[in-house]
Amino acid sequence: MFKFALRFWVPVATLVQLLPSAGYAQQYTVFDPGGSVATYAAALNKDAVVAGYYSDAAGQIHGFVRATNGTITSFDVPDSTSTTVTSINRLEHVAGYYTDSSNVDHGFLRSAGGAITTFDAPGATGTIARAINDLGVIAGDYTDASSTSHGFLRAGSGGFTSFDVPGATSTFGTAINSFGTVAGYYVDSAGVSHGYLRALGGLIVTFDPPGSAGTVVTAINRNHLIVGYYSDSSGDIHGFLRHSNGNITSFDIPGSLFTIAVSDDPHGEIAGTFLDTQVQEHGFYRAPNGSTTSFDPPGSTATVAYGINVDATITGSYQDSAGALHGYLRTIHKGKPDGQE
């Protein structure tokens, strides 16, 4: 079961299979960078270019980008001991963070051509870049000398804006849309997490789904639809969708022990992960009308979804029967009968 959390290579393992799903033909493409023993497909852009990271046999973490033609480029930030990719935009600019030999985290930006820029928020003792929008603005969070976490925005020009939610002891910036609106979560003095959104001008609005005992925000789209998950007073975990008018819809996959929504596209289509009663993880797709479809790549014993794009293509990782982790793309062909390309 998962824990929910420059060389040029062609994928060493690629599998494409068509399966029926909710009236649509469903195609899986499975891939791994060369030398990977665990592949994490963390994000994808509108063209289904995938960015992520993987572990090699020595336990070293490397970044990768998978092009639409299937070629995979592996990379490491210079002088890093690990490189973790978190996000990719339509220009194939990749954001993430790396760890140095002193075990300190720093942010980085990689251009489509492979040029890498490293950065730290002012006063940071550790910087995590979590999301990048199509204008190259990066959102994330950093820790200061007192181990307090603050949110930040890094402009395309390199300038920084630091921010905190009023009353927060820690602020985390997990997502950003094309308008520069940041969504994330913060922790209050009682140790409880809550959601927030920060408009480009700096106005911050906080929120929680009804009944939440702890809220985590994972994504925001260009229509200001926010998704994430929350725990209730019993410790059960539910997915949620916050609409642009502030209304919040809570949802669960039928028969699930927990539901975690991780990404949404501009149409309000949502991808995520749920745990069934056999303590098995599966991916899910939630349509704008609220209907849900569960899925697993062929041969999966545990599936996690990390991202969805405007075409409802989903990326993530799955575990096989030998315990190895692989990346996948799930593509649906809308309007075509099951089993037909």
Side-chain angles (χ1 to χ4, degrees), residues 141-257:
D141 42 83
Y142 70 94
T143 53
D144 63 21
S146 64
S147 298
T148 299
S149 293
H150 311 271
F152 75 79
L153 278 172
R154 181 186 185 271
S157 61
F160 275 89
T161 301
S162 174
F163 64 88
D164 293 285
V165 177
T169 59
S170 294
T171 299
F172 302 93
T174 56
I176 185 170
N177 69 11
S178 55
F179 296 100
T181 300
V182 177
Y185 64 97
Y186 70 98
V187 180
D188 66 20
S189 59
V192 177
S193 61
H194 311 269
Y196 75 86
L197 66 89
R198 180 188 184 274
L200 183 61
L203 177 67
I204 292 176
V205 176
T206 63
F207 62 88
D208 286 288
S212 173
T215 301
V216 175
V217 169
T218 56
I220 181 172
N221 70 19
R222 68 188 182 200
N223 294 322
H224 295 89
L225 301 179
I226 295 172
V227 297
Y229 57 94
Y230 70 96
S231 60
D232 61 25
S233 58
S234 299
D236 295 325
I237 298 175
H238 314 272
F240 75 84
L241 167 65
R242 183 187 187 274
H243 303 269
S244 58
N245 63 4
N247 292 338
I248 295 176
T249 300
S250 174
F251 63 89
D252 294 284
I253 305 304
S256 66
L257 296 179

Side-chain angles (χ1 to χ4, degrees), residues 1-5 28 31 39-43 53 258 260-263 271-275 280-285 295-297 300-308 314-320 325-330:
M1 188 174 74
F2 279 88
K3 275 218 179 220
F4 224 75
Y28 288 98
F31 57 87
T39 300
Y40 300 88
Y53 56 98
F258 71 61
I260 294 178
V262 296
S263 186
T273 303
F274 73 96
L275 191 71
Q280 198 77 17
E281 285 161 315
H282 310 273
F284 75 82
Y285 162 81
F295 66 86
D296 293 281
S300 173
T301 62
T303 302
V304 172
Y306 291 126
I308 185 171
I314 296 171
T315 197
S317 301
Y318 77 93
Q319 181 173 280
D320 66 22
L325 304 182
H326 311 276
Y328 71 85
L329 276 171
R330 175 187 182 267

Side-chain angles (χ1 to χ4, degrees), residues 75-78 93-98 106-112 114-120 127 129 132 138 154-160:
F75 68 91
D76 294 287
V77 177
H93 294 170
V94 170
Y97 61 95
Y98 71 97
H106 312 270
F108 76 85
L109 169 67
R110 180 185 185 273
S111 73
I116 293 176
T117 301
T118 63
F119 59 84
D120 287 286
T127 300
I132 185 171
I138 296 172
R154 181 186 185 271
S157 61
F160 275 89

Side-chain angles (χ1 to χ4, degrees), residues 129-140:
R130 301 191 187 272
I132 185 171
N133 71 10
D134 287 341
L135 298 177
V137 181
I138 296 172

Side-chain angles (χ1 to χ4, degrees), residues 17-51:
Q17 182 164 340
L18 224 57
L19 296 173
S21 173
Y24 299 136
Q26 177 181 218
Q27 178 175 298
Y28 288 98
T29 303
V30 176
F31 57 87
D32 292 284
S36 172
V37 298
T39 300
Y40 300 88
L44 79 169
N45 68 10
K46 69 179 185 66
D47 297 317
V49 178
V50 177

